[in-house]
Amino acid sequence: MNDRRVLITGGAGFIGSHLVRGFLTLTSAQVLNFDKLTYAGNLESLRDVSDSPRYRFMQCDIGDIGAVNTAFAEFEPDIVVNLAAESHVDRSIAMPDEFIQTNIVGTFTMLEAGRAYWNALPSDRKERFRFLHISTDEVYGSLGSDDPPFHEETPYSPHNPYSASKASADHLVRAWHNTYGFPVLITNCSNNYGPYQYPEKLIPKTIRDALDGQALSIHGDGKQIRDWLFVPDHVTAILRVLKSGVIGRSYLVAGENQYSVLDVVEKICDLLDELKPTTEGSYRQQIKHVVDRPGNDRRYAIDSTRLQTELGWKRSVSFDEGLRRTVEWYLANDDWGRG
């Protein structure tokens, strides 16, 4: 991918900023960051690479067909990674219209603009073009405690507006491949965590609330199981899929770290007790159980066998190591994402 031109939507977001940095540090690719800069987009996340001559930024909405067409025409990408999305379940319950617009209509806009651009490419560039759509394990619904993990053939069964909008987008991406031959790839990942994550998500929110002396709110009994993926490992998976993935296929990306929400919050409290102790006792004293959210799935788990056996990817960071690195980063960057 060293000679590729890569258009990344949502490149100022959490996963997107790590992916932009990955392309700029691990390859010699040219990168266009195409981002609307909503509340969760932060160019400060890219300060260390923003001066690279191989990096460009364009502030636009993926639902704006004129802007999307301009980006394709002017940048002439070989690869598109569609990361831009509304992704917070609580927000999707309160404001489902925004999720429909961005996750479904925005993906449709990217597909149509990409297809028109791809159709006009000369044969050699048409052959190497790829459209990678980044999705989530939440499209598969919920697992029981003894159920086997999700795999690529698991039927979709979304349970909330966020996961329903992502499932709809996945179906559109597959349809554009099956109907038009558009060269797509799809990855479905588990819960990402790490530095630069907007503090509405569990791990950064818990860290910030604990340090600020706020209640650490746990939905229901807190025994909802999630698989946790350290975001740099997700980046290497994306690069591997783009390099060697089979057009039209989906690949599941797992952290292979299944922990309950309560387990994670308690681990964060214990790390903070060690790294930034207070005179008030353990941070665990701030844990408070609240009413569970509507449509809250009980367990997610992913089987990454296809990605590992066919493409040779493996996660490199254990959850305990990744969580410690994440907590240390937020302690050293307390101002990031505030205000």
Side-chain angles (χ1 to χ4, degrees), residues 118-131:
W118 174 71
N119 278 330
L121 288 174
S123 58
D124 59 331
R125 292 198 60 202
K126 194 172 185 179
E127 183 68 23
R128 72 181 190 180
F129 182 86
R130 298 289 185 273
F131 184 103

Side-chain angles (χ1 to χ4, degrees), residues 17 21 23 61 72 79 143-144 168-169 223 232 243 264 302 319:
S17 63
R21 187 178 295 102
F23 269 108
D61 185 345
F72 274 100
I79 293 169
L143 291 169
S168 299
K223 295 182 180 179
K243 179 181 179 181
V264 172
I302 281 184
F319 184 65

Side-chain angles (χ1 to χ4, degrees), residues 268-313:
I268 292 170
C269 289
D270 294 346
L271 281 168
L272 290 173
D273 286 342
E274 172 193 342
L275 298 170
K276 197 175 178 64
T278 73
T279 58
E280 305 299 321
S282 173
Y283 288 96
R284 287 193 183 206
Q285 296 174 359
Q286 295 169 226
I287 293 174
K288 177 183 178 182
H289 290 264
V290 298
V291 175
D292 204 356
R293 64 157 64 113
N296 199 4
D297 293 326
R298 196 64 180 168
R299 173 175 169 251
Y300 303 141
I302 281 184
D303 183 347
S304 281
T305 298
R306 174 181 288 180
L307 182 60
Q308 294 181 36
T309 59
E310 294 185 8
L311 305 187
W313 175 85

Side-chain angles (χ1 to χ4, degrees), residues 10-22 42 45-46 49 83 195-196:
F14 168 46
I15 300 172
S17 63
H18 282 271
L19 184 60
V20 168
R21 187 178 295 102
N42 190 341
S45 303
L46 291 164
V49 295
L83 261 166
Y196 299 107

Side-chain angles (χ1 to χ4, degrees), residues 17-247:
S17 63
H18 282 271
L19 184 60
V20 168
R21 187 178 295 102
F23 269 108
L24 292 174
T25 57
L26 301 175
T27 80
S28 59
Q30 302 280 327
V31 176
L32 172 62
N33 174 6
F34 188 101
D35 197 295
K36 187 179 178 180
L37 292 184
T38 61
Y39 72 95
N42 190 341
L43 291 177
E44 288 295 307
S45 303
L46 291 164
R47 179 186 291 181
D48 57 330
V49 295
S50 60
D51 290 335
S52 170
R54 296 186 287 113
Y55 171 76
R56 306 183 199 177
F57 171 69
M58 184 175 180
Q59 184 175 356
C60 289
D61 185 345
I62 61 171
D64 182 343
I65 186 61
V68 173
N69 282 333
T70 296
F72 274 100
E74 293 183 355
F75 185 65
E76 299 184 350
D78 302 297
I79 293 169
V80 175
V81 182
N82 188 40
L83 261 166
E86 296 286 347
S87 64
H88 191 48
V89 172
D90 288 344
R91 284 181 181 267
S92 80
I93 294 169
M95 299 174 289
D97 54 323
E98 294 185 9
F99 287 71
I100 301 302
Q101 188 62 40
T102 297
N103 298 354
I104 301 178
V105 177
T107 298
F108 164 74
T109 302
M110 291 298 301
L111 287 167
E112 279 294 84
R115 182 168 70 94
Y117 167 79
W118 174 71
N119 278 330
L121 288 174
S123 58
D124 59 331
R125 292 198 60 202
K126 194 172 185 179
E127 183 68 23
R128 72 181 190 180
F129 182 86
R130 298 289 185 273
F131 184 103
L132 171 58
H133 177 67
I134 309 296
S135 189
T136 172
D137 59 355
E138 296 190 39
V139 299
Y140 297 110
S142 184
L143 291 169
S145 58
D146 297 323
D147 290 337
F150 302 131
H151 54 83
E152 285 82 0
E153 307 308 319
T154 300
Y156 278 26
S157 182
H159 289 167
N160 57 65
Y162 163 59
S163 56
S165 68
K166 291 298 289 184
S168 299
D170 291 7
H171 290 320
L172 287 175
V173 173
R174 288 194 181 89
W176 259 241
H177 172 66
N178 293 328
T179 305
Y180 305 113
F182 191 51
V184 307
L185 297 153
I186 298 175
T187 57
N188 297 81
C189 65
S190 55
N191 282 35
N192 280 229
Y193 71 97
Y196 299 107
Q197 188 171 30
Y198 187 77
E200 68 181 356
K201 297 301 179 86
L202 177 69
I203 289 176
K205 179 172 171 44
T206 298
I207 297 168
R208 289 286 170 80
D209 285 350
L211 294 174
D212 293 344
Q214 303 297 314
L216 306 181
S217 298
I218 302 288
H219 287 111
D221 61 10
K223 295 182 180 179
Q224 305 89 352
I225 301 291
R226 302 292 182 259
D227 179 76
W228 301 91
L229 174 65
F230 195 46
V231 66
D233 279 337
H234 190 190
V235 168
T236 63
I238 290 171
L239 294 175
R240 188 65 58 90
V241 169
L242 284 169
K243 179 181 179 181
S244 305
V246 177
I247 289 175

Side-chain angles (χ1 to χ4, degrees), residues 255-269:
E256 299 178 333
N257 299 298
Q258 292 186 49
Y259 291 97
S260 73
V261 170
L262 183 58
D263 287 338
V264 172
V265 172
E266 290 179 343
K267 282 177 175 288
I268 292 170
C269 289

